[in-house]
Amino acid sequence: MADDWHARFSCIGRSYEYRIVNRRAPLTFEIGLAWRVPMSLDAGAMHEAAQLLVGRHDFTTFRSAHCQSESPVKTLDRLDVRREGERVLIVAEARSFLHHQVRSMVGCLTLVGQGKWSAQDLADALAAADRSALGYNAPPDGLYFTGARYP
């Protein structure tokens, strides 16, 4: 590699997957590895709402107070939600993410999946550009870094 190559700063794309186990029964082998959500989730509604977050936006609402990024404006390339049996999988791809951005988006999408928020509520939270508009952060259990792209 070139002398100026850097594992973090030379990266042109990152991928994350968030794993939810959507069932009433407690986790056994997956404790700490997934987020159990006992209330029924509508993955279709979650996916539809997630598409409102794709593109270039000010993600201040979904940013941790401890975030060190210079700008809250990021371009989200992909945010897909799909159900596989009792699992709800959320895939996020972008050049870079804000601190807690994926977990914050997942927490709000879960509110949509439970019927507590509409897609418009999610759009309003994004437009607010205010952390107080956030529904909540999903726990770290279930968040996986799945890939990095380099030129």
Side-chain angles (χ1 to χ4, degrees), residues 65-117:
H66 304 291
C67 185
Q68 296 177 1
S69 179
E70 291 180 18
S71 171
V73 176
K74 297 292 177 187
T75 301
L76 187 60
D77 298 321
R78 176 181 176 201
L79 188 59
D80 290 337
V81 182
R82 72 181 188 279
R83 178 175 285 281
E84 291 181 1
E86 64 183 17
R87 295 179 181 278
V88 175
L89 304 173
I90 301 166
V91 175
E93 294 179 356
R95 180 180 180 93
S96 62
F97 291 91
L98 300 169
H99 190 204
H100 287 183
Q101 182 180 349
V102 175
R103 290 176 47 207
S104 296
M105 293 186 304
V106 169
C108 291
L109 288 172
T110 301
L111 292 173
V112 172
Q114 293 171 354
K116 295 178 180 178
W117 272 24

Side-chain angles (χ1 to χ4, degrees), residues 48-60:
E48 186 176 318
Q51 301 321 294
L52 299 171
L53 301 177
V54 174
R56 185 176 174 82
H57 302 286
D58 179 336
F59 284 99
T60 297

